Amino acid sequence: MQVKNASQTAFTLEPVRMAASGFEYFTTPAGYRSAAAFDGSLFVAGSSALFRMDKGSRPQKVWRVGQDLPAAPLTAMAVRTGIGVPELWIGTNGAGLLIFNGESMKQLLPGERGLRTVTALLALANGRVLVGTPEAGLYVSDGKRLELFHAQFAKTQVTTLAGSADALWVGTRTHGAMLWQGGQVTRFESELPDPQVLSIATNGEGTWIGTPVGVAEFTQNHFRRRIADAFFAQALGLHGGTLYVGTIDEGIAAVNVEEEKPRPLRHETEDQGGPIVSFANLGGELMAVSPDSIRQLPGKEAVVRADEGMLSAGHIAALQVDELGQLWVGYFDRGLDILPLRDPEKKRHFEDDRLFCVNRIKESGDGRSMAVATANGLALFDAGGRLRQVLDRSSGLIASHVTDVLFGGRPDSLVVATPAGLSFVDQGRVSSMYAFQGLVNNHVYTLAQRNGELFAGTLGGFSLLKNGLVEASFTTANSQLRQNWITASADFGGDLYMGTYGSGVVRFTAQGALTTFREFAGSEGRVEVNPNAMLATDGALYVGTAGRGLAVLRNGTERWVFLTNGLPSLNVTAVAAKGGVVYVGTDNGLVRMADAGSKL
């Protein structure tokens, strides 16, 4: 730990040494985010790995998040010069900074959690590096000290950085842009098309500030005009007299800023797919970075193209392994994959307006049906992976947004959880229940069943149902619950375990007495269990947490173990198991390991 005085922040600076883990990775799309020229090579940071490209623009070396690097997506890069040996600084989403000198990697980890997420980096000519964070403000470091850049930037929600020490531009999430010059701050908000700043490009004389609805141009730090109206300016890059505007779904727009009335023109490329996430100036050339490629402008062809992963995306939301040995992977915003585990190349992908945001996947007891709960309905598949129908509000459900689902005694008997209550589907007939009929809260997150009892975990506690009627409800007011928000549930060892969003896991015993685990062993503060990220096997109870990794309670013990090393992210969002193998989904990829019945 290093602290010099009260104005500096405590941090550790240690070599990155990743211990061997029992996790096996499923490859995901590279998710490129930024690029930089360093040590004679092109380095590309993606959400799941850092790539060093060879002369042929193929990966020469790969450092994978969770295996070779800490378990946090990579966000931004900057090359620090003005020192003996240049360094590549890499920002992460939750693990602070990584510093690579061409031979070894170190981690600069701030003691304050708010400083561990980096949104922007800017290397200054004096050998220091500016570090922007989403909540804690703007900091500066030389690798030996980490301190607030200036009191006026405390708690600033930094989105992007540009310029130099003499004229520094800081983009913010909700309050426009700030210009630091001569020890003073000038704020620009009304001049911008929108107060949310996404990108900034500057060449000294001119500055361009990108927002979700267009770009503001400044000349010699004075507002001049607005250009590229209605373009979602996620990234900006300059090459000669042309400003390139990178968008989410409209490709790249080229603007000749030397014209009196510039008109954005679509920059044609060999393929128009994929959002533009950043631009990078490499050796006088401008590169456009998208999640799956890097292209040199004004050229049309990609210089670097990422290999396809086994999975269609990295943000996992639901998992299930069916009786045929197929892994069903539901994504936060990319639909569904059905992956034959013996032949992953035969993956099938489903994605449309309904099958988009997946919340839960369940298999019927006879293995003949699969139910996929989405934000737009309940999709029902047969065992062969063919979509049979989609149930939604027009079909009789109390709401189209489905958060969880349970199969009853028959494949056509279902209990459906929604933010508006419960719906019961039986042989084509639908009935519903909500707070008016005694449900403790309309917003149901999770369902579990045990010995003929149905448990519904909600935003306001949980209800116990028998024979279609609410028998009892439990909240912080009438039980030992410390948190009403119930997010996940599972029957383990004859007891019902429920995850909460804020106070870990509670256990409802077979005798009906509520027992609270006050905290996970070895943890401090809030423990947030992700929606339906809970699974019981014969070997253990697995719980996915938001930021604490995978919590495991082995059968026959009272001791929780947290698994973090080897995960692609500490935000565990889904868990599934079959045949002694546990599949762990995160917001940054998927891994598998042996069930705790074998070894932890």
Side-chain angles (χ1 to χ4, degrees), residues 35 68 186 204 211 221-222 247 255 314 318 325 335 354 380 391 397 422 492 533:
D68 311 296
T186 304
T211 76
N221 302 329
H222 294 283
T247 70
V255 184
R354 283 188 164 183
L380 299 175
L391 302 178
L397 297 186
L422 294 174
F492 180 57

Side-chain angles (χ1 to χ4, degrees), residues 183-357:
Q184 295 184 333
V185 171
T186 304
R187 302 175 185 271
F188 300 97
E189 187 170 342
S190 62
E191 296 88 348
L192 307 184
D194 188 274
Q196 181 182 5
V197 175
L198 303 173
S199 53
I200 302 176
T202 182
N203 62 4
E205 293 296 319
T207 299
W208 294 265
I209 299 176
T211 76
V213 291
V215 178
E217 182 180 21
F218 292 76
T219 300
Q220 295 182 344
N221 302 329
H222 294 283
F223 175 72
R224 180 185 178 191
R225 58 185 176 180
R226 295 181 183 179
I227 58 177
D229 288 338
F231 278 88
F232 194 101
Q234 182 168 250
L236 293 176
L238 281 169
H239 189 268
T242 301
L243 176 71
Y244 291 95
V245 182
T247 70
I248 289 182
D249 55 8
E250 296 181 84
I252 301 173
V255 184
N256 186 345
V257 294
E258 295 178 353
E259 294 180 352
E260 186 64 29
K261 295 182 178 181
R263 183 168 63 95
L265 299 174
R266 187 180 179 88
H267 177 74
E268 297 295 335
T269 59
E270 62 176 4
D271 55 17
Q272 303 298 327
I276 306 301
V277 294
S278 66
F279 289 96
N281 285 290
L282 307 175
E285 302 293 342
L286 183 66
M287 300 285 185
V289 180
S290 66
D292 61 358
S293 66
I294 298 174
R295 65 185 73 252
Q296 181 178 320
L297 298 175
K300 296 182 179 181
E301 296 183 359
V303 175
V304 175
R305 189 174 298 281
D307 294 331
E308 290 188 7
M310 294 172 63
L311 305 179
S312 295
H315 194 156
I316 314 297
L319 295 169
Q320 181 70 42
V321 186
D322 66 18
E323 290 295 329
L324 299 177
Q326 300 179 119
L327 178 63
W328 294 57
V329 184
Y331 297 105
F332 174 74
D333 59 357
R334 284 297 314 278
L336 172 75
D337 279 348
I338 302 178
L339 192 74
L341 291 171
R342 293 184 179 180
D343 194 358
E345 292 186 0
K346 292 184 178 180
K347 173 188 70 181
R348 287 179 289 164
H349 182 69
F350 300 83
E351 183 177 348
D352 55 33
D353 290 341
R354 283 188 164 183
L355 201 56
F356 185 69
C357 179

Side-chain angles (χ1 to χ4, degrees), residues 539-540 542 550 552-554 559 561 563 593-600:
Y542 299 91
L550 181 68
V552 184
L553 179 67
R554 295 191 69 170
R559 176 174 171 266
V561 176
L563 302 184
M593 68 176 191
D595 191 358
S598 304
K599 186 178 179 180
L600 262 184

Side-chain angles (χ1 to χ4, degrees), residues 391-392 395-398 422-432:
L391 302 178
D392 57 16
S395 309
L397 297 186
I398 196 169
L422 294 174
S423 286
F424 302 88
V425 182
D426 190 11
Q427 295 182 320
R429 296 186 297 271
V430 182
S431 61
S432 296

Side-chain angles (χ1 to χ4, degrees), residues 21-26 535 537 540-543 550-554 561-567 572 575-585 590-600:
S21 73
F23 290 114
E24 178 185 350
Y25 270 61
F26 287 76
L535 175 77
T537 70
L541 177 68
Y542 299 91
V543 179
L550 181 68
V552 184
L553 179 67
R554 295 191 69 170
V561 176
F562 279 82
L563 302 184
T564 57
N565 183 46
L567 292 173
V572 176
V575 191
K578 181 76 77 172
V581 178
V582 177
Y583 300 84
V584 183
L590 173 67
V591 294
R592 62 185 172 190
M593 68 176 191
D595 191 358
S598 304
K599 186 178 179 180
L600 262 184

Side-chain angles (χ1 to χ4, degrees), residues 3-269:
V3 180
K4 290 291 184 180
N5 55 53
S7 68
Q8 295 179 13
T9 300
F11 65 91
T12 58
L13 183 63
E14 302 288 345
V16 174
R17 296 189 182 97
M18 301 298 293
S21 73
F23 290 114
E24 178 185 350
Y25 270 61
F26 287 76
T27 57
T28 59
Y32 294 154
R33 295 188 176 183
S34 60
F38 176 73
D39 197 30
S41 298
L42 172 64
F43 281 76
V44 184
S47 57
S48 59
L50 174 68
F51 303 86
R52 180 174 189 157
M53 301 299 179
D54 62 18
K55 299 298 182 182
S57 297
R58 300 296 304 169
Q60 175 185 351
K61 182 173 176 57
V62 179
W63 294 264
R64 297 208 174 274
V65 168
Q67 287 183 320
D68 311 296
L69 303 176
L74 310 182
T75 57
M77 291 195 296
V79 178
R80 180 188 176 206
T81 58
I83 54 178
V85 178
E87 296 172 340
L88 179 64
W89 285 47
I90 307 158
T92 74
N93 185 2
L97 291 155
L98 303 175
I99 303 174
F100 182 57
N101 64 4
E103 295 183 357
S104 61
M105 188 87 65
K106 292 184 178 181
Q107 180 185 18
L108 191 159
L109 184 66
E112 183 182 337
R113 289 190 175 273
L115 292 175
R116 295 181 181 181
T117 294
V118 177
T119 51
L121 292 171
L122 180 65
L124 302 177
N126 59 12
R128 302 204 298 171
V129 179
L130 293 173
V131 181
T133 72
E135 302 289 345
L138 179 63
Y139 282 71
V140 62
S141 177
D142 60 1
K144 298 179 181 179
R145 295 174 295 274
L146 178 66
E147 55 193 356
L148 186 66
F149 179 71
H150 191 275
Q152 295 193 64
F153 293 99
K155 306 302 180 182
T156 298
Q157 299 175 327
V158 180
T159 56
T160 185
L161 299 168
S164 64
D166 296 327
L168 171 65
W169 289 87
V170 180
T172 75
R173 187 190 306 167
T174 57
H175 292 91
M178 305 166 70
L179 172 63
W180 171 265
Q181 191 174 38
Q184 295 184 333
V185 171
T186 304
R187 302 175 185 271
F188 300 97
E189 187 170 342
S190 62
E191 296 88 348
L192 307 184
D194 188 274
Q196 181 182 5
V197 175
L198 303 173
S199 53
I200 302 176
T202 182
N203 62 4
E205 293 296 319
T207 299
W208 294 265
I209 299 176
T211 76
V213 291
V215 178
E217 182 180 21
F218 292 76
T219 300
Q220 295 182 344
N221 302 329
H222 294 283
F223 175 72
R224 180 185 178 191
R225 58 185 176 180
R226 295 181 183 179
I227 58 177
D229 288 338
F231 278 88
F232 194 101
Q234 182 168 250
L236 293 176
L238 281 169
H239 189 268
T242 301
L243 176 71
Y244 291 95
V245 182
T247 70
I248 289 182
D249 55 8
E250 296 181 84
I252 301 173
V255 184
N256 186 345
V257 294
E258 295 178 353
E259 294 180 352
E260 186 64 29
K261 295 182 178 181
R263 183 168 63 95
L265 299 174
R266 187 180 179 88
H267 177 74
E268 297 295 335
T269 59

